[in-house]
Amino acid sequence: MGVTKEEVEIALNSSLNPSHLVVIDTSGGCGASFEVTIVSEHFEGKRLLERHRLVNTALAEQMKQIHALSIKKALTPAQWNPNPTASQQ
């Protein structure tokens, strides 16, 4: 059997401590393909490629069984919610 959505979430939560994380299994349940949206302070000061490398490193063990990983968004908290007071008005 492939990797589960929960395994991907656990690996990313433990390594990158995201404030927002969405993992979608796009393989129809076989665990071979995932989409990820992640917001983490670990991405501060990092370029997009470095952020993707952090995600791939966090999933190193799972990537042995994952065929495709699409990182839709890898953002800092400030990029995710650039104007928090506007949403409260």
Side-chain angles (χ1 to χ4, degrees), residues 4-14 18 21-23 59:
T4 66
K5 172 184 178 258
E6 290 76 20
E7 289 174 304
V8 172
E9 291 171 339
I10 289 168
L12 291 172
N13 278 316
S14 67
L21 176 63
V22 176
V23 177
L59 295 174

Side-chain angles (χ1 to χ4, degrees), residues 36-70:
V36 173
T37 298
I38 184 168
V39 179
S40 174
E41 290 181 358
H42 288 272
F43 298 147
E44 293 286 349
K46 305 265 190 303
R47 294 178 186 257
L48 183 61
L49 181 60
E50 294 171 300
R51 295 174 186 193
H52 283 220
R53 284 181 178 151
L54 285 172
V55 171
N56 283 315
T57 298
L59 295 174
E61 204 51 43
Q62 291 76 14
M63 289 303 290
K64 294 175 184 175
Q65 298 179 58
I66 294 175
H67 174 69
L69 178 67
S70 175

Side-chain angles (χ1 to χ4, degrees), residues 15-37:
S15 293
L16 298 174
N17 192 28
S19 57
H20 179 80
L21 176 63
V22 176
V23 177
I24 300 170
D25 183 345
T26 57
S27 66
C30 74
S33 179
F34 293 91
E35 286 183 1
V36 173
T37 298

